[in-house]
Amino acid sequence: MLFSNSCEYGLRATLYLATLGDGEEEGPFVSIGTISDELDISFHFLTKTFQKLTQAGILQSQRGPKGGVALARSPEEVTLLDLVLAIDGPGLFEECVLGLPECGNRRPCPVHERWAEERERLGDMFAQRTLAELAEDIQSSNLRLADVAAEAAV
Amino acid sequence: MIFSKGCEYAMQATVFLAGSGKGFLPVRRIGEELGVSPTFLANVLRALTKRGLLRSRRGPGGGVALAQPAEEISLKDIVLAIDGPGLFEECVLGLPGCGNREPCPLHEEWGPARSGLTAVFEETTVAALARDAGEHSALGYFPGSGAP
């Protein structure tokens, strides 16, 4: 797959947080347990992924009964690319698709140029999508962040 | 990164076979060129053999060889054999039910992006890679490509 499992979960979870907004009387923090239940993602996995997002300054976390995670930056300022880089690192955009360590612009492997074109297009696409836009899409079109089965079970 | 190590070695090994101009090469020999343990490589190549991309032969003069002309083996064929169809078919967020009727938020733009990626792998053949492994290429240790 294009992204690691962590990245897929992290994207879904962060999109979920973005759709909640703030202003809830419980405060902006959402417990990891709630997110784990809502999206049917393992609590342990989520904790690890949220650590990376917190280190990257995208999320903030708080301990205690009203604790959990929340966005640390405004959703207009966070792009999909920010999330992918925070969780999976730059590998997708830098590594050779054949796995050759010396491959790069100066010493390209035979598929480098074509691959570089596609991944740049991907990178641009991710860089242009903000959490705010995606949250709006999700809310206005009722797009799904979880499996139908998980939603039905809730 | 998007492919498993096994998949990467499968692609490299197949291109190496194509460029060697020989029939059967021992797995150990390919492992030496690629810098991969023969045991690990043997597992990977077995998966390619099962898919009909390679064939194998025991004994002296044995090893593995391409089972089809190099022009007819695409990178996508190799990826399908080792890593499966996920990259070419699945939702970018990993949601099993995502599709046109119940799309995830990225579904609309992921479609064309995925088509673009798929085309790169469908249209790049092992023959073309072996041919283009020139002296400036990172496939420097491949035959006919000059010193690494």
Side-chain angles (χ1 to χ4, degrees):
Chain A
M1 267 308 302
L2 193 68
F3 301 137
S4 69
N5 282 337
S6 292
C7 192
E8 289 176 1
Y9 298 151
L11 288 177
R12 282 191 249 163
T14 312
L15 287 171
Y16 175 72
L17 282 173
T19 60
L20 294 179
D22 48 24
E24 307 272 333
E25 63 271 10
E26 295 87 13
F29 290 96
V30 182
S31 84
I32 301 181
T34 301
I35 302 175
S36 168
D37 288 340
E38 287 288 311
L39 301 182
D40 195 29
I41 298 173
S42 119
F43 182 91
H44 175 72
F45 232 125
L46 270 184
T47 310
K48 295 243 159 283
T49 308
F50 284 154
Q51 267 168 16
K52 292 189 186 175
L53 290 169
T54 307
Q55 273 162 18
I58 294 172
L59 295 184
Q60 47 178 332
S61 67
Q62 189 179 81
R63 293 175 178 282
K66 284 198 198 285
V69 287
L71 291 179
R73 291 157 59 187
S74 140
E76 285 88 8
E77 289 172 24
V78 180
T79 67
L80 264 190
L81 185 61
D82 292 332
L83 297 176
V84 171
L85 291 178
I87 304 171
D88 271 357
L92 172 63
F93 301 105
E94 290 180 3
E95 285 166 11
C96 169
V97 74
L98 298 180
L100 298 168
E102 322 87 54
C103 171
N105 287 330
R106 265 178 311 138
R107 197 177 157 83
C109 85
V111 74
H112 176 83
E113 205 176 302
R114 250 201 107 174
W115 172 242
E117 238 177 74
E118 284 306 323
R119 73 178 177 196
E120 200 177 305
R121 205 167 292 157
L122 262 185
D124 287 345
M125 183 180 103
F126 293 141
Q128 277 159 26
R129 294 290 256 147
T130 67
L131 274 188
E133 285 166 18
L134 287 166
E136 208 180 289
D137 284 349
I138 293 166
Q139 280 155 339
S140 65
S141 318
N142 204 29
L143 301 173
R144 50 206 302 274
L145 279 175
D147 270 353
V148 171
E151 284 166 358
V154 164
Chain B
M1 156 99 212
I2 64 170
F3 298 133
S4 66
K5 271 276 161 254
C7 188
E8 290 175 354
Y9 293 140
M11 295 189 282
Q12 291 174 34
T14 313
V15 173
F16 179 58
L17 274 169
S20 71
K22 305 200 169 85
F24 288 88
L25 283 181
V27 174
R28 193 185 23 83
R29 165 99 174 85
I30 304 175
E32 277 163 15
E33 279 292 335
L34 269 49
V36 185
S37 106
T39 321
F40 182 60
L41 189 58
N43 274 333
V44 168
L45 298 181
R46 199 167 301 130
L48 295 180
T49 307
K50 272 172 94 164
R51 291 284 288 222
L53 298 173
L54 297 184
R55 51 204 168 106
S56 68
R57 194 164 75 188
R58 291 179 176 282
V64 287
L66 296 183
Q68 296 174 32
E71 305 78 39
E72 290 177 27
I73 302 178
S74 69
L75 283 186
K76 187 180 174 191
D77 291 331
I78 300 171
V79 173
L80 288 178
I82 310 291
D83 277 0
L87 173 65
F88 310 117
E89 292 178 5
E90 283 170 10
C91 163
V92 71
L93 290 182
L95 290 172
C98 175
N100 289 331
R101 268 180 307 137
E102 300 244 2
C104 83
L106 300 180
H107 180 75
E108 207 178 298
E109 59 231 85
W110 173 236
R114 184 178 53 196
S115 298
L117 292 180
T118 305
V120 175
F121 298 110
E122 272 174 354
E123 294 164 20
T124 304
T125 66
V126 164
L129 291 177
R131 195 177 51 231
D132 294 342
E135 63 183 71
H136 297 296
S137 161
L139 290 175
Y141 47 70
F142 283 46
S145 59

